[in-house]
Each structure stands twice: as structure tokens, then as C-alpha cells.
Amino acid sequence: MLSTISQTDLITGFLSFLFTLLILSYMVGDNPAFRMAVHIFTGVSAGYIVLVAFQAVVNMFAPLINGSSPDRFLLIFPLILSLLLFGKTSSRFEWMGRPVVAFMVGVGTAAVIGGAVLGTLFPQIMAASSMFDLHKTTGPVNAAGSLTAGVLVLIGTIVTLIYFQFTLFGKNKVTGKRGKLIGFISLIGQIFIVITLGVIFSGVLSAALAALVDRINSLILFIDHLLAFIA
Amino acid sequence: MSDLVCPVCGKSNPNTVEVCQYCGASLKRSSAASGTSDLPGWLKDIRKSTNAEPAATPDTTRPAQPIEPAGAKDVPFPDFLAGLSNLSDEEDDESPDWLNNLRGVLPDPPLIYAAPSMPRPAQPPAASTEKPPEQPAAPPAENKVFEQLPAAQPQAEPQTPNTDWLKAFDLPDSSGSVGSDIPDAEIDPAIYADLPDWMASLAGLGGQSTPAQPEPSVFEQSPAPANEPVDWLSSLGGDFTAEDNFATSESSAPVAGETPDWMARMSSSQAESGTVQNQPEPDWLASLSSSAVESGGMPGAKEDLQSSALLGSDDWSGLRGSTPGVFDASEGNNPNPGVSALDETPDWITNLQGSDPVSYEPDTKGGSSPAVSPFGELPDWMTNLRDPAATLEKPDWLANLNSSTPDQTSSANIPQAAETPVTPLENDNSAWLANLGGSALDYKAPVSGQTLESGQPAPFADQPDWLSSLQNSQDASFGDNPKQNQPESHETSFRDEVPDWLTSLQGISTPVDSVPAQAQPEPQSISDWKSAPSVPDEALKPNEPQTQNQPFEPEDLEGFSIPGGTGELPDWLARVSQATAVENKPVQGQVPAATAPKTPRQQANESGQSMIGTGQPVRSEVPGLASESGNDQNIDSIFSMETPDWLSNFLPAASQPVSAPSEKDSTPNDLPAAELPSWVQALRPMESVVEETSDNDEPQNVENEGPLAGLRSVLPTQPGLTVAKAPRAYANELLINETQHAQSALLENLINSEKNPQLLPKRPKVSRIQPVRWTIAAVLLLVVFIFAGLGSNVFPSPATPGETSAVGMFLNTVGNLPDNAPVLVIMDYQPGFAGEMESALGPVLENLMNKKARLAFVSTSPVGGLMADRLLSKFSTSYSYQIGQQYVKLGYLPGGAGGIKVFADQPATTLGQDTRSGNLWDTPVLKDVTINSVTSLANFAAVIVATDNPDIGRLWIEQAQPVLGAKPMLMVVSAQAEPMIQPYFQSGQISGLVTGMEGGLLYESALGKSGQARTYWDAYSAALLVAELIIIIGGFWSLRAGLRARRAGQEQDEV
């Protein structure tokens, strides 16, 4: 494997090694090496993104050239809306891009909401309620486990929602403090939230450690390749 | 050789003697007394210049006057007049311009006094011998005057103060007219030789033309007090007050005793010598004297004399000196003609006296006088004056003057004009002139005992000689007026203020016709030359009882005007008159007509103001006022110290008191338009306003002085007239209730709190524990390096995933895919998570490649395609996948959720259209995707979403999963996205889930292959372990620090 390392891999491996060290220099604090590496990554990524985005937009209107007539006709409207969107670059013609932006926001919002309701809310509700469906379970253990899981999920969901209940009623309005029950539930909700955040943090930490390992492994690989190249 | 006049007896003594031969008085001292010590500076200068020259140089060209004694020429002049007499001869050409001009414009005497048939003045014999046909062959005016004197006004004598000098002037005229013992032939015409032409003409013509009319002698009527000497002369004479003079006159003391020594000496020497000195005297004086003598016989001579006396002239002493001569000749009763007048007059005046008989003779005799002055020796201009033909060249106003004089003598107004009192002569008397008058009185004493007793000196001290001559001639015209027996006190006031020379001029030029029937008041401050003609008619009325002490009333001056108006006057004189008129206008209005006028002195006494500034010291010399204000006379004498006559005469006109004009007098006809500045006129209130304000009850004060004169209520009379009201009391406290007060306090506190800066709580300082950070980093790096570098398998792989696990289900799903099935792989993860994602996705792709699945890569991230290439490159060696053959990159899918939605619904129309490679949907990789020309995601065998972002995974689940239908959606996610994606797996929305390094290792383990996941697994596991340890250690460290802080706080609270 080392013998197959080309010079290109060596150069890219060197650059990877170099920029990895520059980024790791942040351990001692903000320094020009770190900022330089960040700027380089930002610039390269931006340039690459522009090219990819332009290629993707241009390719989107490719049917106007090689497409069928219906495809060409259908692309007229996106083309007009795209041209009107350029009006946002000028204050004088800014009004021209407003409908296009409104259209995109509307479509995107509708898509998100529809997707959230249909893709997340209802399925999650169904999944949560299914835990209490003992018929779908096979065996009492699974049923108990499913029910327990379901109860915990339910409790966790309720207490988490109650934690975010900040409205006070009755005499609590005078004191400005939650009642003991709501306070206790909120506390349980905080625990569920903390556990969730801990799980998320552990995933982030594991992802970071995986990245660190990848980078250290890359360094080690570069050094290995370098040594092999030298040898 | 000049004789010395005895200061005691007034007789002339030889120059060689030191003691008077008559009275034994010392002459040295008197001579010294008449020296230069008391003389004005200008006279001293003249004397010096004269002494340098032979003062006693006889004038050979001048014939000796008959009346003069033989030794008259040798009699030296008085010291100061001697210089004048010499200079008059030598410096005749140096006469001032105004005098020269005046000569040219002087009224022609022939026109005044003489008939048209009057001979030329150049022919003195003919002129003197001829008598105007219209003039009656009456005795001379002076003669008649003196005849009427006792009966005319005997009772007014003690009351009317008269100036001795004027009386002395009149007496000779009167005496000459009554019965002069001096023959006409005695008048030596030679005296006219040195006179100025014009003066000579005046003398000659006056004697010719003026008819002798009976004229009441004022000198006899009045006590003729010589108590008002000219200031400077008074000063020379010591404290010579009017009161003293008056007393002197009443006591019939010798006038010489009251006169200055020098004058007394002069008079005495002349009297004793009994001769008229032939000293070189000015021609004009000589001619003047002759004219005076001549005019003495004329009807208007007396009046002229009076008018001139009214004007208070001083400088006509020469004429007056000549007048006694006339008086001596005419009186005839003078027991001592040589002593009477001539003894007290200077020599040169005595010479003039010698000319009086000459001029008088034709008057008395009604024929021409053979002893008329030799006109051949007169100057040309004087000759012209004498020449009737020369009158054609006279100015109009002079002609009018001349013509008016005969008219007045013949008109019915003459009596009114004759009413002009003669009393003002007392006012301006000078001491020496008074002595002269006294000498005349002495001479006249036998004629009029009263007059002699009064001993009043002649008052003509303030008048120039030449003007006096004019007056004399004018008096001749007035002599016709029988009503001249008026008391003289009425006119003393204004005559005092009249400049001499101008007064004389006015005396000549003032026609009697212009005198209104009823005299109107004229302000006393009127200028001299204008005031002179304004002789009140009432004062001129004869036999009108008037109080002696009655001051002059300005109303008497009104109605007098210069004939012909100012237009006929010379320019300079017209200007003067105009200026004077302007000055007099408001003054006229000052004196209310209804009220009795007050003299300036009275006004001054009332107002407490000094008369110094008013320039009216002469008024204090009014004999009538002497008894009332004796102290004032003393003050006046003090003020008059060393003041020449001509200068003192200017004083009244220069500073006239301004009083508020009365509305009655300030009629438009009387007053000219005021020359107030425009701004002052603008300030003047309108009449309507004035009337309105006058109706008010408020007192209105009339401004008396300044530009606001005449305005009413311009300035507040009192500073605090406006009603001062106490300011209304307002409560300082607001009427508010408790609530409002609390709210205002709250607002005030709120505002004040805004002003106070509030300190922000200190930001807790986070101490960087660099060693700890470095230690953690070093530990992690060391662990990773160690485990990655060594490539150890210390940490075992996790157990085979269960079938129901996420990875198990994923394996089953992928395992269930048919071979060469199109699989859509969505590469939505970032390069930073490439190591983890590649560790998880790598085994999946390897599994798919094992099944020869046709891979279509699409990404919502621009770098998705790049990540796909990188991952494929790792398996390029194991699997020969070519782009377009085994896999395609549909590209970047923009639009987020919408793009995903669109792509899920219409994947062929959204992506896959490449300009270079054409429609990707038509490629062999995707040939199975489009079924029945319908391209759908559901046509893919499986959709694998590889993402490190749970949101991106959620979108794909939400947007694409419903579209997939039964087709499985698998997800390869990062460990950080697993908690968010796990519910979707639990819900069954996704068919399998591979999460991070662990999932990849499980997947590899399930496949039985050692892949990248395993490579990194030890390092990852060690790092994760270290991290967990550090977190635990850190947790304990933080707990311990918190406990310490709390404990420290409790201790501080306890302390």
C-alpha cells in the first residue's frame, strides 16, 4: 500500500498534515496559524461551492437546450423567476425579487411543515403510542419492555413539555414561582432534557474523537507514507 | 505841552505844575492814576506805540477850533486816548473792514436830515449856510428841548435815572439851541479836516439837514445819573456802581469826583485850559463831533442822540466831548464854559467839541454855517456821503433809512417816536464818560439846576464814536419830536444789551414810522442792533407817567423793525439780523404778554441764577434798579472788571437766557419756522395729542430748555408716578392630592435614578487553566497517537448486532436488495466528519458494491459529490466502479426541504440534466429508475442517507420517506445525530441505521471484514475512555470547587 502512494497523495497528505497541525495549534490559543488554516479552508470551500452551485443551476436549465418542448415550456417560469430574483441585487429593482423569494419561502415552509407533520409528528406519535400496543409485542417481556419504554417516553415527553410551561396561575402569580408539583415535574423534565443533551453531547464527543482519530490516523499515515517515500 | 487836569476840581493846569493851581490837589498822583495800570491791554499797546512817537506832534493841517482854548493843542491827550488819537491819524487806513464797509453803506445823512436841495457835502460853507427849505427856521432842537425841559418833565427827574454822559451829550445840544454863546463862526471847519469822509459828511449833513426842533431835554428831566459806567471803565474807576452814581447824582456832587482819576484829570485840564486841543485827532472823530453839533440843532438830533444813548454806546466819547461844546455854546448859561465840558473831556474830544459850534451854527441860525468842516479834506467816501448825488449809489435800505428819517420827523408818528425815552443813557455809562457828562452838567448847572444837582454823567459810554455821531445826527431828527419827555428808565433795560455800534446804526436806520402805535413787548435778550430800534411807543409818549424803577419790558420792543427788512441790509448785517431774529424768536415768546415782564435780573434773582452767563450785567446798572439791588450793582461792577465795552456789549447777545415761549406769543406770524432737527420735530407731539394730554388732569410740565423746549410731559415730572401695585401673591405650593404627590415623587425618583449610573455586575473571570487544557489535549493526542500508530486491537469489537438492532436491520435491508439494483445514496455530511462517516458508510458501500448495486449519488451539500468521490476512491482498488457505469453523481440538490421535496417527487426533472454528459436518468445506472417514463425515488431499490446532521436526516425522512413508500430508507449517521434519528428508526420510518464508528465497526463485523472502523477503533475507544475519565475527573473537580466556595461563603456569613 505504501508503494502505491503517488506524489499526488504525498502532496495532498502533506497539505493534510500541515493544515491538521495548524488547526491543532488552537490548543494553545488563537494564533495566526490557526486563522490562516481557517481562512484557507473557507476560501477553498467557497470557491468550490460557487462552482458546484453554478454548475448545478446551469444544469438545471439544460432542458431548454436539449429537452423536449414541454420541458422547455416548463422551464420558462423557473427561468423568469430566477431572472427576477436578480432584482434583489439592486435597491431599485429589489421589488422584482420579492415574489420569487416569497414563493421560495412559501414552498420551503410548506415543505418543512408538511414534512414535519407527516414525516415526524404523526409517525412519532404513532410510534410512541405503539409502545402501549401490547398486541404488537411479542411476549410479555417485550410487552413490558415496550410498555416501560413507552411510559418512560411518555413521562419523559410530558415532563419535558411541562418543564417548558412558564405560565403561572393562582397564587403562584403573586410569588412568581412555580408550584411544587409543576416544579417537581419540571425538575423531572430537566432530567430528561439533561439526559438527552448528554446523549447528544456524547454523540458529538464520539464524533469529535472519531475525527481526531481520523486526523491522527491521517498524520500517522502521512508519516508512514513519507517514510516509505523516503525509504 | 499838555495840561494836566486836576482830579479834584477838574480844571486844567499847566503841565509843569505838580499841584493844581485852583484847588491845590496833587496832579502827579492823578496823572499816575490815569496811567496804564487800569487800562485794557489793547489800550496799553496803543499807548506804547503812541508814546514811542511824538504824541504831542501838532497837526498843522488841522485848523484850530475856535472854541478851543489856545493851548488846547498842547494839552496832552488822556493817556489811553492819546494813543487812539494818534493812531486815528496815522492808521486811518487800518480801520477794520467792517467799518470801511459800513462807511460805504451808511445812510446818507443828507437824505435823513437834509432837504433835496441840500448842497454837496464837499462844499461845507454852502452846505452849512444853506438851510433846507422844508425845515422850519426854528430854534435848534436842543434849544427847544432845554426850554421845555423844566416844564416837560420836572416830576420825572428824580425818578428817571439818567446817565450823565448822555445828559452831557444832550445838554450841549440843548444849550446850543437855547442860546448858545458860542458863535457859529467859532466852530472851526478845520476840525473836519482829519475826520473820515463819511463821518465828516455825517457831521456836515446832519448840521445842515436836521432842522432845529424843540426837543425836551432828557438830561434836564432826569437826574442824569452817571451811575452806569461801562464795565471796564467802571473797573478803572473802582467800585463804581449804579447806586453810587445815583447817589452821587442826587447829592449833586461833582461828577469828576466820581469819575476815574484820569478822566477827571482830563476833564479838569481841558476845562482849565479852556481851549480845544488841536491834538491830532482822527478825522472821523472830528467830523463826528461836528456832525453832532450840527445835528444838535436839527429836529432829529435829540432823538438820534437818545437812540444812540439807548443803545448804550461807549465809544463815542469824542462826539460827546464835542457835544458839551455845543451845549456850552447853546446854553449860554454856563458860567464856566471853559470848564464845563471841555475841561473833563480829552483833548481830542475837546477838539471835537470845537467842531460842534460849527455844525450847530446853521441849526441855530437857520443858515449854513460858514465854519463847516472843510469837506475838501474829507475822504472820498465821506465826500460821497456828503454829496447828495452820492446817495444815488447808496443801497436801497440806506436810502430807505434816510428817507424815512425825514418822514418821521414830519409825519404824525414823530411824536410817538419822540416818546422814546432818553433814560437808557444811564445804563452804559462809563466812568470817564460820566465825568464828561458831569463836566457838561457842570457847565449846564446854571441852566438847569436840577440837572446840575443830579450830576449824572452822560451815558454814551458804550457806543463807538462814529456810531454815536450817527446817533447824534439821528437825535437831531428826533429832536423834532416834542414828546421826548419820557422817562428814560423804560428803555434802560434793552439799551443795555444793544451793542453800541449796532445800536447807533439802528438809531439811524430805524424809522419812526415803523414804530407801531402800541408798543409790544420784545424780549430783553434780543440782540442789540435789533433791540435798538424797537423803542416802545409808549415809552416815547410824552408826559406819560412811568415809574422810574419800572424795568424795560420786552413788549416795548415789538413792532420795531428795520425799514426795508433784512433784504435791504448788507449781507453781513442781514445775516446777523437773521441770526438774531432766529435767536430772538423764542425769546419773544418767552415773555407772556398778559403778565408783567420781568427783567433778566429779576428773573435771575428769582431763579437764583447768576447774571454772569446771561451777559446782562448792564442791566444792573439801571438806575431804577439801583435802589432795589444795590448788591447786584456791586457784583456787576466786579463782573465788569477789565472788560472792554465792545466785548461786554457782545455778551448779552451771546448768551441770552432761553425761556419757554408762551403759546400766546409763539404765533406763526411772530415766530419763524423752528430750525429744530428733523428728529426732534419727529419727536414733537402732534397738536391733537397735546390737546388731549392737556385735557388730562395730570400735571403737565413744559420743557423750558433744550431741544424739547415747548413740549409737554415729555419727561415724567416724578420718577415714580406710575402706580406701584404690589404683585399679586401666588402660592408657591401646588394644590395636589396625595396620589399626585406620590406620582410626582415616583417620577422624580425615576428621573433621578436614570442620572445615577448603575454598576454592572462584574463578569466572573474565567481563569484559563492552560496546563489542564494542554494536559487534556496531550493525553488525548497521546492516546490517539499511541493506539492509532500502533494499530492495536486492544479494544475488542462490539458484539454482532442484533437483528432488531438498527445495524442489524440495516444489514438485513441491504442484504435484501437485489443485485445490480439502483440505490440512491445521499451524501450529506461534511468533510470534517469524513473519518467517522467513512468508517460507517464505507462498510455499507462495500456491501452494496458486493451486490453490484448501481449507485446514484446526490447531495444537498455542495461537497457531497466530492465526498462520494473520496469514498469511492477508497474502494476503487477493490471494486471497479466507473462513473456513469456503476454509479452517477446527480449533483448538488439545492433548496433545502423544498429541493428535497421536489427531488423526491420529480427526481428526473430536478437533477440529472448535465450539459456535458446529458440526461443522467438515461444512463445505465438509472435506467431502471424511470419506469414507464416516470422517474421516481420509489423506483430506487433503497435510499441510503449518509449525514452527520440530524436535521438533514430528518428532512430526508420527512420529505423523501413518504415518497419511497415500501422502499427502504436507510441512514448512516454520525454519532452526534444518532439521538435525533433514533426515534425515526424506532418509528419504523427508516429501515436501518448505522451510527458512527461503532455502527461501522458492527457493520464490518457483520460482514466479517476489518475495515477503517476497526483501524480507528482502538484509538477511538482509548480516546473515548480518556475523555470519559477526564469528564468524570472534571466533574469531581468542579464539585469540589463548588463545595469549597459554598463553605467559604458560609464561613463568611458566620463571621
Side-chain angles (χ1 to χ4, degrees), chain A residues 64-83:
Chain A
L64 292 175
I65 301 173
N66 54 8
S68 60
S69 297
D71 295 339
R72 294 178 181 177
F73 178 76
L74 293 176
L75 288 177
I76 293 176
F77 295 100
L79 180 61
I80 295 175
L81 295 178
S82 299
L83 294 176

Side-chain angles (χ1 to χ4, degrees), chain B residues 986-1006:
Chain B
Q986 295 294 335
S987 64
Q989 290 175 303
I990 58 177
S991 302
L993 179 62
V994 177
T995 306
M997 187 72 71
E998 182 184 5
L1001 182 60
L1002 292 174
Y1003 202 96
E1004 288 176 354
S1005 301

Side-chain angles (χ1 to χ4, degrees), chain B residues 376-389:
Chain B
E377 297 178 2
L378 294 175
D380 297 335
W381 61 276
M382 183 60 77
T383 304
N384 295 330
L385 287 175
R386 292 177 176 275
D387 189 0

Side-chain angles (χ1 to χ4, degrees), chain B residues 834-845:
Chain B
E836 183 185 11
M837 293 303 295
E838 290 175 355
S839 300
L841 186 57
V844 173
L845 287 179

Side-chain angles (χ1 to χ4, degrees), chain B residues 837-1024:
Chain B
M837 293 303 295
E838 290 175 355
S839 300
L841 186 57
V844 173
L845 287 179
E846 188 177 4
N847 189 11
L848 294 173
M849 288 178 181
N850 292 327
K851 291 187 174 183
K852 299 187 183 177
R854 294 173 291 174
L855 303 175
F857 293 94
V858 66
S859 172
T860 58
S861 171
V863 296
L866 185 59
M867 294 291 103
D869 294 337
R870 173 185 165 87
L871 183 59
L872 293 175
S873 64
K874 290 182 179 179
F875 299 101
S876 61
T877 58
S878 305
Y879 305 95
S880 60
Y881 266 72
Q882 299 296 324
I883 187 167
Q885 296 298 325
Q886 290 83 25
Y887 73 96
V888 294
K889 294 189 294 184
L890 297 176
Y892 165 68
L893 179 63
I900 295 172
K901 179 65 176 174
V902 173
F903 179 74
D905 296 338
Q906 299 178 357
T909 57
T910 304
L911 292 175
Q913 302 292 332
D914 190 359
T915 55
R916 292 177 297 179
S917 58
N919 189 358
L920 297 177
W921 300 105
D922 296 339
T923 60
V925 178
L926 299 176
K927 62 180 180 183
D928 300 333
V929 175
T930 304
I931 302 171
N932 301 326
S933 301
V934 176
T935 304
S936 171
L937 291 179
N939 297 333
F940 285 99
V943 175
I944 302 175
V945 178
T947 177
D948 61 348
N949 189 347
D951 295 334
I952 298 297
R954 182 172 54 84
L955 288 177
W956 279 108
I957 295 170
E958 293 175 352
Q959 302 296 332
Q961 190 275 332
V963 177
L964 293 177
K967 300 290 176 72
M969 175 178 274
L970 303 172
M971 297 195 72
V972 180
V973 296
S974 169
Q976 64 183 4
E978 181 187 10
M980 301 301 295
I981 302 299
Q982 187 67 33
Y984 292 101
F985 174 75
Q986 295 294 335
S987 64
Q989 290 175 303
I990 58 177
S991 302
L993 179 62
V994 177
T995 306
M997 187 72 71
E998 182 184 5
L1001 182 60
L1002 292 174
Y1003 202 96
E1004 288 176 354
S1005 301
L1007 296 177
K1009 295 181 179 177
S1010 176
Q1012 181 179 351
R1014 183 58 201 176
T1015 307
Y1016 293 164
W1017 182 250
D1018 285 353
Y1020 172 78
S1021 297
L1024 186 60

